[in-house]
Amino acid sequence: MSKRVVIINDKMQRGYRYVCTAPVGRNFDPEFQPHLTPPQMLKLGVFGGKYMTDCRKEFPASWFKGAKLAPRGRDSSLNYFGVEASQPLSVWREKGWIHPDDPRGWFQWYCRYYMGRRMPEEDRRQIKRWKAIRRHVRQVERNCDYGDFTCRRRQRQALLHWAYDSRKI
């Protein structure tokens, strides 16, 4: 595969460059087995529809066909489970969850990883965070009947934000 350079100029990054060295959607770390692709997540409804509105040029147009995006501010009714399940970016920054290369957080990292960018140290850190979210899968399994989407809706929505398909719990 030939390397592809991506140059970013959006509201949060100007002149940022990254190189894609892996094929799109393939060659993932064996410990990282997300249930959902970024375009699937956008179509289901995540992050109140606000996450990707100013950086569409970076990703394939097909990702945005049928995506639930908010034209203005976040709108939790666009989320699959219709509830708010995100913390503000300021909290993510305070907790040290934001890497300078991905100022929007985990989902931005995942989108770029999916596209083929590899940053070994950051990839390990984000995959470790992704794996830690699995505890919420266990909580839904222990406390909800299978397919009862009224049970733990906020937790189920948060799982969707992390590419776990909580519709199948």
Side-chain angles (χ1 to χ4, degrees):
M1 176 194 159
S2 62
K3 293 179 181 181
R4 186 171 51 88
V5 176
V6 179
I7 302 168
I8 305 303
N9 287 300
D10 61 29
K11 288 182 181 176
M12 295 186 82
Q13 289 180 308
R14 287 252 173 252
Y16 173 70
R17 295 171 182 259
Y18 66 88
V19 178
C20 294
T21 59
V24 174
R26 300 201 345 239
N27 295 357
F28 285 12
D29 182 296
E31 292 191 30
F32 184 53
Q33 302 288 323
H35 303 165
L36 300 166
T37 65
Q40 288 172 323
M41 293 169 68
L42 292 169
K43 285 175 183 67
L44 284 172
V46 290
F47 307 107
K50 194 59 188 155
Y51 201 90
M52 303 286 283
T53 54
D54 76 308
C55 56
R56 293 168 110 177
K57 292 179 185 175
E58 181 178 349
F59 304 105
S62 61
W63 285 24
F64 301 96
K65 288 187 177 117
K68 294 183 179 179
L69 299 176
R72 291 179 187 69
R74 281 186 358 200
D75 179 355
S76 59
S77 72
L78 294 173
N79 286 340
Y80 185 83
F81 290 98
V83 295
E84 181 58 56
S86 297
Q87 294 179 322
L89 190 56
S90 60
V91 171
W92 301 354
R93 288 180 181 130
E94 288 170 17
K95 303 243 184 211
W97 295 337
I98 301 295
H99 187 280
D101 287 0
D102 298 320
R104 297 169 196 269
W106 184 85
F107 187 58
Q108 185 173 45
W109 168 83
Y110 177 36
C111 291
R112 291 173 173 176
Y113 186 87
Y114 189 89
M115 293 302 296
R117 183 189 71 179
R118 297 295 183 266
M119 298 172 27
E121 188 175 320
E122 180 61 4
D123 296 347
R124 276 190 297 280
R125 183 181 81 89
Q126 293 290 13
I127 291 167
K128 183 179 177 182
R129 293 181 67 225
W130 174 81
K131 287 169 59 177
I133 295 301
R134 183 127 181 95
R135 72 185 185 278
H136 294 285
V137 172
R138 296 288 175 244
Q139 290 172 358
V140 171
E141 289 172 340
R142 284 188 188 119
N143 294 290
C144 301
D145 291 331
Y146 179 83
D148 179 0
F149 294 165
T150 63
C151 181
R152 295 191 175 229
R153 290 174 35 215
R154 189 166 185 250
Q155 206 163 23
R156 286 177 182 274
Q157 184 66 44
L159 286 165
L160 286 180
H161 292 182
W162 285 86
Y164 285 98
D165 195 346
S166 59
R167 301 169 304 165
K168 296 181 179 177
I169 303 172

